[in-house]
Amino acid sequence: MAHSSTTKQSNISLSNCGYSKVLDIISNKWTALVIYAMENGKIRYGEMLRRVEGISKKMFTQTVRKLERDGLVQRHIIPTVPLSVEYSLTTLGETLLQPMKELRQWGRENYTQVVEARVKYDSAYTPGSHEAGSIN
Amino acid sequence: MAHSSTTKQSNISLSNCGYSKVLDIISNKWTALVIYAMENGKIRYGEMLRRVEGISKKMFTQTVRKLERDGLVQRHIIPTVPLSVEYSLTTLGETLLQPMKELRQWGRENYTQVVEARVKYDSAYTPGSHEAGSIN
DNA sequence: CAGCATCCTTACAGATACTG
DNA sequence: CAGTATCTGTAAGGATGCTG
């Protein structure tokens, strides 16, 4: 797409980048974990709270509502007493699973290198460590 | 997915999920755009500010420093007067490009559906809009 | 059980000004 | 040119209490 005169590459903006749109969907702290909790099928509210470690009721509800609004999650109310609610991925939601898994895979394979890079960076730039071989 | 009652799948936690680790790296507002700006090779500070629309000097520096610390970006100083700095992805950084592109691709292909889902959701739950057959 | 409402604390991010 | 420093508003996230 030849865009304009002197520019060689098109600009990158938050508004035209497909990636940013995805991030808008899945970049919240708990969103990915909530999705993963549903990757094997339906799961109930209470079990979700137990499965996803550390999530609060508020954050779960907020997260899953957003996903529901985005069409990625289905909410299924079962009128028992007291009532039950089951959550599951929609067809659209399932299509997101694959790219997310690849990112997760990247994390599993490469996170060690990232941690090592951090240690190296920190030891190089921390005041007090003048490039001597000291690891904190 | 026949797991009823006491069958335990392992819990999902922020600390053991590879995905969360990746998110910790790339989920910031500008990170992905900065990475994309480097996907075709070296790019200088000034050009980066122009390419990534709306980013401030502060946010760029902050973002790129974090990426450098994580070992995904290289910083190359050229001692001109005044000085120049070029940024580029490391080998590790390039490996991240592929899964990120797939996510971006998902966004391009499916974002419309997400938007439609939102409209539908909002019209269903907004006070004042009874389901008297408008959308759909 | 499955939520919503409220308060509060921090992290994120923008604007602006200054420096080697 | 390529940053750093500070100030400030906003939004995310956590803690807690109440409800059908």
Side-chain angles (χ1 to χ4, degrees):
Chain A
M1 51 171 90
H3 187 266
S4 61
S5 53
T6 53
T7 30
K8 32 223 152 187
Q9 299 184 10
S10 58
N11 282 356
I12 299 169
S13 75
L14 284 171
S15 47
N16 71 19
C17 178
Y19 191 82
S20 300
K21 298 179 194 309
V22 181
L23 274 191
D24 181 44
I25 298 171
I26 56 157
S27 75
N28 301 317
K29 180 171 181 180
W30 298 105
T31 304
L33 303 187
V34 167
I35 289 178
Y36 284 137
M38 291 181 289
E39 73 175 312
N40 295 312
K42 302 177 188 173
I43 180 169
R44 285 181 47 191
Y45 180 94
E47 173 152 13
M48 185 74 84
L49 290 181
R50 268 171 271 125
R51 281 279 297 285
V52 182
E53 284 179 22
I55 197 170
S56 67
K57 290 194 285 185
K58 174 192 164 186
M59 290 319 295
F60 169 66
T61 300
Q62 188 173 302
T63 302
V64 84
R65 281 289 183 287
K66 184 167 185 294
L67 288 171
E68 191 191 358
R69 177 170 182 263
D70 289 347
L72 303 172
V73 163
Q74 280 167 324
R75 190 156 160 273
H76 182 53
I77 301 173
I78 306 166
T80 53
V81 180
L83 86 153
S84 313
V85 179
E86 284 181 342
Y87 294 93
S88 59
L89 292 173
T90 61
T91 308
L92 182 60
E94 307 223 5
T95 65
L96 186 52
L97 219 42
Q98 188 54 34
M100 283 178 59
K101 281 181 178 173
E102 298 191 35
L103 218 55
R104 176 171 56 175
Q105 188 57 27
W106 188 93
R108 287 173 176 159
E109 289 170 1
N110 300 287
Y111 193 65
T112 311
Q113 289 183 62
V114 172
V115 171
E116 286 169 2
R118 285 177 185 166
V119 172
K120 197 173 163 188
Y121 185 95
D122 291 345
S123 74
Y125 290 98
T126 300
S129 80
H130 27 288
E131 83 195 70
S134 66
I135 305 172
N136 170 4
Chain B
M1 54 178 157
H3 78 63
S4 328
S5 60
T6 52
T7 308
K8 284 311 163 199
Q9 302 191 359
S10 57
N11 281 357
I12 298 169
S13 73
L14 285 172
S15 47
N16 72 20
C17 177
Y19 192 81
S20 301
K21 298 180 194 308
V22 180
L23 273 191
D24 181 44
I25 297 170
I26 57 157
S27 74
N28 300 317
K29 180 172 182 180
W30 299 105
T31 303
L33 302 187
V34 167
I35 290 177
Y36 285 138
M38 290 182 289
E39 74 176 311
N40 295 312
K42 301 177 188 173
I43 179 169
R44 285 181 48 190
Y45 180 93
E47 171 150 13
M48 183 75 85
L49 289 181
R50 267 170 272 127
R51 281 278 299 283
V52 182
E53 283 180 21
I55 198 170
S56 66
K57 289 194 282 187
K58 174 192 161 186
M59 290 317 295
F60 169 65
T61 301
Q62 189 173 301
T63 302
V64 84
R65 282 289 185 286
K66 184 168 185 294
L67 288 171
E68 190 192 357
R69 177 171 183 262
D70 289 348
L72 303 172
V73 163
Q74 281 167 323
R75 190 158 161 272
H76 180 54
I77 300 172
I78 306 166
T80 53
V81 180
L83 86 154
S84 313
V85 180
E86 284 182 344
Y87 294 93
S88 59
L89 292 172
T90 61
T91 308
L92 182 60
E94 307 225 6
T95 66
L96 187 53
L97 219 43
Q98 188 53 35
M100 282 177 62
K101 282 182 178 174
E102 298 192 36
L103 217 55
R104 176 171 57 175
Q105 189 56 28
W106 188 94
R108 287 173 175 158
E109 288 170 2
N110 299 287
Y111 192 65
T112 312
Q113 289 184 63
V114 172
V115 171
E116 287 169 2
R118 284 177 187 167
V119 172
K120 196 173 165 186
Y121 184 95
D122 291 344
S123 74
Y125 290 98
T126 300
S129 80
H130 323 81
E131 56 197 273
S134 45
I135 316 289
N136 212 2

